[in-house]
Amino acid sequence: MKQLKSATIYILIIVFLASCATPNPAVRLNSKESKTTWENGKEFTSYYKDGFIVHCAYHGTTDAYLVFDIEMANTTDTDFLLCPEKIVVFTDSGKWDPVINQIVYSTFPIYAVDPEIEILKNELAQSQLEADQKNLATASIAVAAMALPVMVATASADAKDTKQRAITRTELAVAAAGTTLNMNEFSQEMNNIRSELLLNATEAWINNSLRKTTLSKNEAVRGLVYFKKPDLKKYRDLRIDVPIGENNFISFNYKVNLYYPSNPNVNPAYK
């Protein structure tokens, strides 16, 4: 018996060690441009081209997104429609192809997330949650109304009665009704939490993201731009292309640096 217990303990230890999560690296993207400026800990690279000024800085990463802080100013005499969803990231630096006379990338481009679509999706999800909450409330009222006569009839029963006794299907329904009410209350609370998270996410998209904007002469706009996060362990370089017209863009080049808790002073992924 002791040997069996020991073997069980060893197996549990092995399973535990095998299931230990590996810490994700902290990510830093550094501009390859030597001439930069800093604002509140963010390093901005700024370029001027064909009447447009674009500032870009790495803002951070989340579980889902790679985030940049981008500002654009239009100094031309022509209105320009800035569409953040047309800003694109390439996960390698590309190679020049002399045959087609342009840079060719070995990976697919990652287009920025469209804030207008995200806001719409959140509003639809919010509407569905509100409908679910109303349905749960209606169901709770209906169950409570059905159980009320039985609850009144059994209210005088001795709660401390330990004797074995038969119960009817109606009495059983009372117990089930109580469980249903508790589950409905739990579901309502979970829906309230989801609703709050959706509202916060929507507010973030509305107030923080770079939104679609028509820029007239000497107008500027700034906000956060979100890209679906690639596997940054695979790439040394990132390039961001910000459109400033038809087949025209301003490019920003970044070097990917990964830092692990075990050795924060080096970038082991690229050694």
Side-chain angles (χ1 to χ4, degrees):
M1 181 63 70
K2 289 183 178 180
Q3 290 180 344
L4 181 60
K5 288 183 178 179
S6 299
T8 302
I9 292 173
Y10 288 140
I11 292 173
L12 290 174
I13 292 174
I14 292 172
V15 170
F16 173 76
L17 292 175
S19 63
C20 288
T22 303
N24 291 321
V27 178
R28 293 294 183 271
L29 268 60
N30 299 111
S31 175
K32 292 186 177 182
E33 175 63 58
S34 59
K35 188 177 181 180
T36 61
T37 54
W38 289 80
E39 178 193 280
N40 293 324
K42 290 189 282 191
E43 184 182 21
F44 279 88
T45 303
S46 304
Y47 291 118
Y48 174 86
K49 182 180 179 182
D50 294 342
F52 289 90
I53 302 170
V54 180
H55 311 279
C56 181
Y58 168 67
H59 180 80
T61 57
T62 68
D63 289 340
Y65 297 114
L66 188 63
V67 190
F68 289 86
D69 189 340
I70 294 178
E71 180 178 8
M72 175 183 284
N74 179 13
T75 67
T76 71
D77 294 325
T78 305
D79 289 351
F80 175 74
L81 177 60
L82 170 62
C83 301
E85 68 274 12
K86 293 184 179 180
I87 301 174
V88 62
V89 159
F90 293 95
T91 51
D92 62 79
S93 55
K95 294 182 179 180
W96 182 260
D97 188 329
V99 176
I100 60 175
N101 199 35
Q102 68 181 33
I103 294 177
V104 177
Y105 297 91
S106 61
T107 57
F108 291 105
I110 303 172
Y111 285 90
V113 177
D114 188 344
E116 311 313 316
I117 291 178
E118 296 305 310
I119 292 169
L120 176 59
K121 289 195 298 186
N122 285 352
E123 289 178 352
L124 292 174
Q126 186 72 39
S127 176
Q128 183 61 56
L129 271 178
E130 290 174 359
D132 292 343
Q133 288 174 323
K134 290 178 181 178
N135 291 335
L136 281 170
T138 302
S140 298
I141 293 171
V143 170
M146 291 174 61
L148 182 61
V150 180
M151 294 170 71
V152 172
T154 58
S156 59
D158 185 358
K160 296 182 180 180
D161 186 3
T162 59
K163 295 180 181 179
Q164 177 176 322
R165 63 186 181 87
I167 60 173
T168 66
R169 292 174 61 86
T170 307
E171 289 174 314
L172 184 61
V174 176
T179 303
T180 302
L181 285 171
N182 289 336
M183 288 303 297
N184 283 347
E185 290 172 1
F186 175 77
S187 297
Q188 287 277 20
E189 185 61 30
M190 291 301 296
N191 280 348
N192 289 338
I193 294 173
R194 295 190 189 99
S195 178
E196 187 67 25
L197 290 174
L198 278 173
L199 288 173
N200 291 338
T202 303
E203 286 296 317
W205 283 111
I206 291 173
N207 297 322
N208 301 330
S209 65
L210 184 64
R211 306 280 299 274
K212 185 176 292 185
T213 304
T214 298
L215 295 175
S216 298
K217 185 176 182 178
N218 297 327
E219 289 185 340
V221 65
R222 177 180 176 182
L224 299 181
V225 179
Y226 297 79
F227 300 90
K228 293 293 185 181
K229 187 170 70 176
D231 185 354
L232 295 174
K233 298 175 184 177
K234 296 180 179 179
Y235 307 106
R236 285 179 179 267
D237 304 302
L238 290 179
R239 172 175 170 166
I240 301 176
D241 286 349
V242 181
I244 58 171
E246 190 69 27
N247 297 321
N248 196 8
F249 51 82
I250 291 178
S251 297
F252 298 85
N253 293 285
Y254 287 90
K255 179 183 178 182
V256 177
N257 292 287
L258 305 179
Y259 299 90
Y260 291 83
S262 58
N263 193 355
N265 297 317
V266 298
N267 192 356
Y270 298 139
K271 290 188 68 178

